[in-house]
Amino acid sequence: MPSLGADMEAGTLVEQLISPGTEVHRGDIIAVVETQKGAIEIEVFEDGRLENWLVQLGEKVPVGTPLAMIRAQGEPETPQPLDPAPKPPPPEAPPRPEPLPQPPGPEMPPPDLPQPEQPYPELRPRASPAARRLAAQSGIDLGRISARADGTVRYADVQAGPRQSGMPDMRRAIAAAMARSKREIPHYYLSHQSDQSAIEDFVTRANADRAPEERLVPAAIYLKAVAGALRKYPEFSGTYADGAFFPSDAAHIGLAINLRGKGLVAPALFDVGAKDLYTLMSEMRDLIARTRAGRFKARELSDATITLTSLGDRGVDGLFGVIYPPQTAIVGIGTPRPAPWVEDGAVVARPVTTLTLAADHRVSDGHRGALFLRAIDTLLQNPEAL
Amino acid sequence: MTQEEIETALIAELNRIAPDIDLEDVDRGHDLREEFDIDSIDFLNLVTALAKRFGLDMPEADYPQMDTFDHLHAYLVAKSG
C-alpha cells in the first residue's frame, strides 16, 4: 500500500485488475485503492509476473503493507513484495499512546462496490446555487450536509446545518496535511505584481485559428514559467524529510484542482520543463477530468515536487498558499484585472495580477525566493519563448 | 435541429460539467460561468463538447456571445440553424 501523501495512513484495496500468473510490466495499472482522496490507480514499478495477491478485495491495510507478490524475471525464489512508491517519510508524530476515538465519518465503500456501470465514487453533492451560496457564507462544507432522497441539497438543508457525523474523508485529509504543514514548515511569503498582457495576447493569437480541443488556457503557460524558473532556482523543487532537503531534477508540478464543493487536490504533472505547451495542455485537461471524476494515479499524488495554484479568471487579486508537505514551496497566481500600470514613465491600463510564493525557510530564504518569483514573472513576459 | 433539441443538448453538456447545479435554480440571463461555477478549463470543455456535437468552430472571438445560458443557446440556434 503506497503512501499517497503525508496524511495517508491506510487504504482499501477495491480492485485487482490482473489475476495471479499474469505478466506485468513497469507502468501497468494493476490495482485500484480507495483512499480519503478517492480511487487511486496503482502502477507496478518493475517487470515480472504477479504471483499472488496478499491483500483481499475490500481489505483496509496500513501504508507499507505489501499488496501483491511479483516475481521478477529470472528470480526463482523469495519473490519481492510489491512496493510501488518510494518510501514515504516516517509519520511525523510519535505513536499515540491510545487510539483516538474515530468520529463516525462516511464509511469506506463496501468491498464489492465498484460496479461497472458506476466506476467512480460520487465526489460532490448536487446543490442548488442558493444552497451553495448559503453554505459559502456560513462556512459550511456542503459535503457535511445530508442530501435528500433524490441526491440534492437545497437551501433549507443547509439552514438545518451539518449532520453530526464529523468531517468527510476529503476534508479530513486536507485538514491533516495543512495542519501538519502549519505545524512543521516555517513559511515565508512573497508577492509581486505582474502585467499579464503578454500572456493574454499570446493566448488570443494562439487560439484564434484553433479548434476548441487544441486551445490553450493561461494555466499551461504558468506551469511552463514555473518549470523554467526552477531550472535556475532548483531549491524550490523537491521534498524535505528527516531534517534534509532532497532536490528534484525534474519539475513535477502539483496543480491545485478545485473539486466543486468537495475540497481540493493537487496531483502532479510530470517533468513539466520537458514538455511543450500543447502536450502540457492536453495532459492538464486529462488530469483535471480524471481528478474531478475521482480517479488518479498513485504517483500523481505522491510525487509532486512543488505546487502551483491559480485562481483562474473569477477569483481575487492574489493568494498566499499553504505548502503541501513534504514539498517546500507553492506558487500562487491571482486573477488578472485591469489596473493602472506604469510603463516608460506613463500610466497605462493593463491586466495585472499578483504572483505569490510561500516557501520553506528550512530550505531557502526570501532573497532567493524573490529572485525565483521574479524569474517566473520574466518568463511570463515572453510566452513565445516557453 | 429545433430550438428545444438544442436546449436539451446544451443542458446535457452543462450537466456533465456541473452536475451539482440544478438548472431550475439558475438565472439564464446572468453570467453563465458564475451561475454554473465553471472555470476556464470547464468552459473550454463545454465549448469543445458543443462544437463537436453541433459541428461548429465556436472560435474564441465569439466567447462574448456565449456569456449567459440564453446567449449561448441563441448562438447555437443561429449558428446551427
Side-chain angles (χ1 to χ4, degrees):
Chain A
M1 178 65 63
S3 172
L4 308 167
D7 45 315
M8 176 171 159
E9 291 170 355
T12 305
L13 183 66
V14 293
E15 284 181 49
Q16 296 169 346
L17 296 174
I18 61 166
S19 29
T22 312
E23 297 286 327
V24 294
H25 300 284
R26 183 183 160 83
D28 288 354
I29 290 164
I30 62 164
V32 177
V33 166
E34 182 72 30
T35 73
Q36 292 172 317
K37 288 174 178 164
I40 314 291
E41 295 175 340
I42 304 298
E43 289 170 87
V44 66
F45 272 65
E46 57 193 314
D47 297 333
R49 195 174 68 216
L50 188 126
E51 290 290 303
N52 57 309
W53 288 98
L54 300 175
V55 172
Q56 299 307 306
L57 278 179
E59 207 176 323
K60 184 173 181 178
V61 295
V63 164
T65 308
L67 293 178
M69 285 282 199
I70 291 182
R71 191 187 297 269
Q73 276 173 346
E75 183 194 19
E77 302 297 329
T78 53
Q80 295 290 311
L82 170 65
D83 187 6
K87 271 278 173 276
E92 76 283 5
R96 292 180 182 128
E98 54 191 26
L100 295 172
Q102 280 291 327
E107 290 295 301
M108 288 295 212
D112 52 349
L113 184 113
Q115 303 290 331
E117 53 277 332
Q118 202 190 344
Y120 302 137
E122 181 66 50
L123 267 179
R124 48 193 183 171
R126 294 168 54 89
S128 67
R132 299 167 70 82
R133 245 168 252 141
L134 179 64
Q137 279 162 10
S138 9
I140 294 172
D141 183 344
L142 273 178
R144 297 180 61 196
I145 306 293
S146 299
R148 299 182 173 199
D150 63 356
T152 63
V153 172
R154 300 301 173 118
Y155 188 86
D157 303 323
V158 181
Q159 262 185 327
R163 59 175 182 268
Q164 297 306 307
S165 59
M167 291 186 283
D169 282 349
M170 168 73 73
R171 182 55 54 194
R172 217 178 312 172
I174 294 170
M178 297 299 98
R180 176 181 162 197
S181 174
K182 286 287 186 170
R183 195 165 58 237
E184 293 182 2
I185 303 178
H187 289 61
Y188 65 84
Y189 304 95
L190 303 170
S191 80
H192 184 66
Q193 297 295 107
S194 171
D195 176 2
Q196 300 291 287
S197 44
I199 293 171
E200 293 192 358
D201 293 348
F202 177 76
V203 170
T204 302
R205 275 199 313 278
N207 289 349
D209 301 320
R210 283 199 157 80
E213 59 269 25
E214 291 165 355
R215 285 176 200 160
L216 292 175
V217 296
I221 297 167
Y222 301 151
L223 282 164
K224 284 297 286 181
V226 170
L230 283 172
R231 286 206 186 103
K232 206 167 167 195
Y233 302 97
E235 68 262 45
F236 296 96
S237 174
T239 53
Y240 185 94
D242 301 329
F245 176 64
F246 300 93
S248 164
D249 290 339
H252 305 318
I253 304 182
L255 183 67
I257 298 171
N258 164 38
L259 297 178
R260 300 192 71 99
K262 282 296 274 182
L264 175 78
V265 280
L269 286 153
F270 292 104
D271 206 358
V272 169
K275 288 167 181 158
D276 69 74
L277 268 182
Y278 291 93
T279 305
L280 203 53
M281 186 67 205
S282 71
E283 287 190 7
M284 180 170 70
R285 288 179 84 166
D286 172 62
L287 181 66
I288 291 173
R290 284 188 293 112
T291 301
R292 294 232 169 105
R295 193 134 184 167
F296 18 58
K297 298 189 179 84
R299 283 192 312 137
E300 289 169 341
L301 277 191
S302 57
D303 288 7
T305 59
I306 184 172
T307 298
L308 172 69
T309 173
S310 160
L311 289 175
D313 47 13
R314 293 193 301 117
V316 292
D317 291 350
L319 78 155
F320 295 92
V322 181
I323 298 166
Y324 189 83
Q327 297 166 34
T328 63
I330 176 167
V331 173
I333 306 209
T335 300
R337 66 178 172 88
W341 187 258
V342 177
E343 187 168 280
D344 299 331
V347 179
V348 290
R350 285 287 165 80
V352 174
T353 194
T354 305
L355 312 180
T356 60
L357 172 71
D360 185 339
H361 237 320
R362 296 172 302 183
V363 179
S364 65
D365 298 312
H367 174 68
R368 293 286 288 178
L371 293 172
F372 174 55
L373 198 54
R374 281 199 90 106
I376 294 172
D377 184 30
T378 302
L379 291 167
L380 291 177
Q381 300 313 312
N382 190 12
E384 285 84 358
L386 294 169
Chain B
M1 230 182 209
T2 67
Q3 290 206 17
E4 287 71 32
E5 286 167 338
I6 290 171
E7 181 175 322
T8 305
L10 174 56
I11 290 169
E13 294 299 347
L14 276 165
N15 192 47
R16 277 152 62 110
I17 285 164
D20 50 331
I21 304 290
D22 191 333
L23 196 75
E24 285 174 21
D25 297 320
V26 161
D27 181 346
R28 297 183 180 209
H30 192 248
D31 187 275
L32 179 85
R33 298 173 56 171
E34 294 283 343
E35 288 296 309
F36 288 87
D37 189 18
I38 56 184
D39 61 22
S40 52
I41 287 273
D42 290 328
F43 188 73
L44 186 51
N45 286 334
L46 176 67
V47 170
T48 305
L50 292 170
K52 206 162 278 175
R53 195 188 264 245
F54 292 99
L56 299 173
D57 292 337
M58 301 186 73
E60 200 173 90
D62 288 354
Y63 283 4
Q65 300 173 52
M66 311 171 196
D67 59 343
T68 69
F69 182 96
D70 284 342
H71 288 166
L72 178 53
H73 181 239
Y75 177 86
L76 293 171
V77 169
K79 294 286 174 182
S80 60

